[in-house]
Amino acid sequence: MSWLFGRRSQPVPDPPAPAAEPEPQVPFHDTMEGHLRGLFAAAKQSGAALPVPASIVLFSMLDNLNELLDHTLVAPPTLDEQIAIEFMIKDYIPSTVNAFLASRAERATREELLLSQLRLLDGRVHSMVTAVYAHDNAQLEINGRFLREKFG
């Protein structure tokens, strides 16, 4: 009698489509290393357009980031560390250099602005390195306390 009140039997849903195989996730280090290599290549390519002091700061900063990435192979970074590294490599450094290259301001002004911005970013990279190593030291101290309590 369900037809009497306008109700019909529920249609049988189609069987669900088979779930697609999840794409294998590329490790953080490998992804960021590819972006960092791209930054090194772009910096070398635009090296003649960059002032020498800015190039020195830029390559020093990229070297520090490379060391930090290599360290993530031994001590996986926290989510906050990953975000900070990723934004530095994929956004902050490229946008700073690209803004300099696109600027039509007086050369001395552009160079001064670029150098000050790169120094600011370089200071942040040093802070990131210090924070990551401090986190590692804290983990080592925590492990030492655990071992002393457990076996000492």
Side-chain angles (χ1 to χ4, degrees), residues 28-36 69 85-86 89-90:
F28 175 76
H29 173 270
D30 296 347
T31 302
M32 289 300 105
E33 187 178 46
H35 287 289
L36 192 59
L69 275 180
I85 293 168
E86 183 174 353
I89 291 173
K90 292 172 76 175

Side-chain angles (χ1 to χ4, degrees), residues 108-127:
T109 304
R110 288 186 315 153
E111 289 178 0
E112 183 180 318
L113 289 172
L114 174 66
L115 190 56
S116 69
Q117 291 171 18
L118 287 176
R119 285 183 177 145
L120 184 66
L121 291 174
D122 189 41
R124 181 63 183 129
V125 168
H126 282 288
S127 297

Side-chain angles (χ1 to χ4, degrees), residues 30-135:
D30 296 347
T31 302
M32 289 300 105
E33 187 178 46
H35 287 289
L36 192 59
R37 274 196 307 260
L39 276 178
F40 269 111
K44 287 177 184 175
Q45 188 176 22
S46 60
L50 299 177
V52 172
S55 293
I56 292 169
V57 173
L58 178 61
F59 281 107
S60 171
M61 184 173 26
L62 294 177
D63 285 338
N64 286 332
L65 283 167
N66 193 41
E67 288 177 21
L68 186 58
L69 275 180
D70 287 345
H71 180 71
T72 65
L73 289 172
V74 179
T78 65
L79 182 61
D80 290 338
E81 292 166 350
Q82 283 184 4
I83 291 170
I85 293 168
E86 183 174 353
F87 273 90
M88 187 64 70
I89 291 173
K90 292 172 76 175
D91 186 22
Y92 303 144
I93 295 171
S95 62
T96 300
V97 174
N98 288 337
F100 169 80
L101 295 173
S103 176
R104 296 293 171 230
E106 182 180 310
R107 179 124 180 119
T109 304
R110 288 186 315 153
E111 289 178 0
E112 183 180 318
L113 289 172
L114 174 66
L115 190 56
S116 69
Q117 291 171 18
L118 287 176
R119 285 183 177 145
L120 184 66
L121 291 174
D122 189 41
R124 181 63 183 129
V125 168
H126 282 288
S127 297
M128 288 168 39
V129 168
T130 303
V132 167
Y133 291 156
H135 177 257

